[in-house]
Amino acid sequence: MSNHQADPDIKSPTGIKHLRSRVLQHRSVEGGYTDVDGARFYKIENTQLMRPFFMSLISGSNHWAFIGSNGAITAGRKCANSALFPYYSSDKLLDLVESTGPLTIVQVDGEDGTRINWTPFSTADSAQAHFDISRNLYKNISGSEVIFEEQNHTLGLLFRYSWRTGDRFGFIRNCHLANFGANEVSLRLLDGLRNIMPSGLEADFQLRFSNLGDAYKKNERIQGCPLAVFYLSSIPSDRAEPSEGLRSSAVWQNGLPSPTILLSSLQLESFLAGRSVIDETEIRGQRGCYLACQSATLPVNDSMSWSIVGDVDQDQTAVVSLVHLLKTARGSEESLAAQLK
């Protein structure tokens, strides 16, 4: 193992220039300690050359999370019955990475007017065939934060996201996209979470009757703020008695100025084809998604940052409090971002 120097801060021009100066050499898997934003991490370079493996995420509260080195994830609070993503065995989770958990698509305008779709951390063979990419994985000393990083040397772009927990906000995914290439980039970004579990759907029911559970799902955007709630229209039961779903999972974003929010995967094909997508405010009978779509221009040596936040078992009081926080935070997104670090 080798000890590396501090990694460049991709949010600074100096750090981005350093990325461009790296010469593409024969790559191999290497590991060593490094500093990221002043914190000590263990870094594994070129994880695209490794077989996927599993990690746990440490929490100072009641969070639990198991994460694959390929991006697969299951997470929740207290127990498997309070899950933000479905609780499956490790082999199933690794296989479901293309349908559950984080999803990022960067659509870049090519020089000839064509659109180029880059999906960081995709396990599809075409992801590595079309681009020269390298992937790195970081985990801090305490085990409370994991960072995924992919450099696309073909496009001159770097995408990095991290998972951490907070007792107030639940599960926090901080994201950064940097341009270390030689030209300004015009892009469309889609980023968020897939297969979000509603509260009340227990792990055993999800494992045995997942398709039936989908029929009870309702995904709803709260008007006037970036918050979406995911709940059951009623709790599935064989008993002749009322069984209301009174709690929900809640997901929101901070940092993207005016995104279009999708609550399902129904418009993904349209996005990939370069067509426009429209806000979804209410979706029934579909697996929950929270996908934020944003157009942006990224100058050379510049970057953009945002966060996707999710939590489980939110009652009406918690949702109202969160709505108030997000509405009053308008115009002070940087202050809210500081709370998510």
Side-chain angles (χ1 to χ4, degrees):
M1 299 298 180
S2 58
N3 288 323
H4 299 270
Q5 298 297 318
D7 271 29
D9 181 358
I10 67 167
K11 293 172 282 186
S12 70
T14 302
I16 298 173
K17 287 179 181 178
H18 180 73
L19 289 171
R20 187 190 302 135
S21 68
R22 291 179 176 174
V23 179
L24 300 181
Q25 300 174 344
H26 175 70
R27 299 186 184 120
S28 61
V29 178
E30 297 184 13
Y33 290 99
T34 187
D35 292 329
V36 179
D37 294 334
R40 197 67 167 165
F41 281 76
Y42 189 83
K43 175 184 178 181
I44 302 176
E45 296 183 16
N46 297 309
T47 53
Q48 77 276 8
L49 303 178
M50 301 176 63
R51 291 175 59 87
F53 59 90
F54 237 48
M55 304 168 283
S56 60
L57 191 65
I58 303 301
S59 167
S61 184
N62 60 358
H63 309 79
W64 56 266
F66 301 99
I67 303 174
S69 61
N70 62 353
I73 184 171
T74 181
R77 288 193 187 240
K78 296 180 181 178
C79 64
N81 292 331
S82 295
L84 184 62
F85 305 106
Y87 183 82
Y88 291 132
S89 58
S90 60
D91 61 325
K92 290 184 174 65
L93 286 172
L94 293 174
D95 290 343
L96 292 172
V97 66
E98 294 290 349
S99 61
T100 298
L103 172 65
T104 306
I105 303 173
V106 181
Q107 192 172 83
V108 178
D109 293 336
E111 295 180 358
D112 57 356
T114 59
R115 293 183 173 91
I116 303 169
N117 291 314
W118 170 40
T119 306
F121 312 106
S122 173
T123 59
D125 291 339
S126 59
Q128 298 189 44
H130 293 166
F131 302 111
D132 181 7
I133 64 170
S134 57
R135 294 170 180 167
N136 304 316
L137 182 66
Y138 307 73
K139 191 174 186 181
N140 66 352
I141 298 299
S142 64
S144 61
E145 184 174 3
V146 176
I147 300 174
F148 292 82
E149 179 181 83
E150 178 166 322
Q151 296 179 38
N152 188 319
H153 305 282
T154 305
L155 298 178
L157 295 173
L158 180 147
F159 178 66
R160 173 189 286 180
Y161 76 87
S162 65
W163 280 113
R164 57 182 298 272
T165 63
D167 191 47
R168 181 182 183 187
F169 294 121
F171 295 89
I172 302 167
R173 180 172 172 268
N174 291 320
C175 307
H176 305 284
L177 179 65
N179 178 8
F180 65 92
N183 301 301
E184 181 179 85
V185 176
S186 296
L187 59 87
R188 295 173 72 211
L189 170 73
L190 181 145
D191 182 79
L193 307 174
R194 298 161 296 174
N195 208 359
I196 299 167
M197 289 285 287
S199 291
L201 203 59
E202 296 184 350
D204 184 61
F205 189 95
Q206 169 67 20
L207 184 63
R208 299 174 60 193
F209 307 109
S210 57
N211 192 49
L212 175 61
D214 289 346
Y216 288 83
K217 292 177 180 178
K218 185 173 180 181
N219 318 325
E220 183 178 345
R221 171 87 178 274
I222 303 299
Q223 187 176 6
C225 76
L227 175 67
V229 291
F230 303 84
Y231 58 96
L232 297 173
S233 55
S234 63
I235 305 296
S237 174
D238 292 332
R239 300 177 181 177
E241 61 183 20
S243 186
E244 297 179 276
L246 300 177
R247 292 176 178 267
S248 68
S249 296
V251 181
W252 50 280
Q253 75 86 27
N254 182 67
L256 297 176
S258 55
T260 298
I261 303 298
L262 309 183
L263 303 180
S264 71
S265 60
L266 297 175
Q267 296 188 70
L268 270 182
E269 290 300 324
S270 293
F271 181 90
L272 289 168
R275 297 191 292 269
S276 60
V277 295
I278 59 174
D279 276 303
E280 295 175 348
T281 56
E282 184 178 305
I283 297 290
R284 296 172 180 265
Q286 296 287 331
R287 294 178 182 178
C289 292
Y290 187 95
L291 303 171
C293 308
Q294 180 75 58
S295 296
T297 299
L298 206 55
V300 176
N301 299 332
D302 202 359
S303 65
M304 56 188 293
S305 302
W306 66 96
S307 299
I308 304 287
V309 184
D311 208 352
V312 299
D313 293 339
Q314 301 293 288
D315 60 18
Q316 187 176 29
T317 300
V319 171
V320 170
S321 176
L322 190 51
V323 169
H324 176 74
L325 171 68
L326 295 177
K327 286 186 175 181
T328 55
R330 287 181 179 176
S332 58
E333 287 80 3
E334 292 184 2
S335 176
L336 185 56
Q339 299 180 52
L340 300 175
K341 291 182 178 180

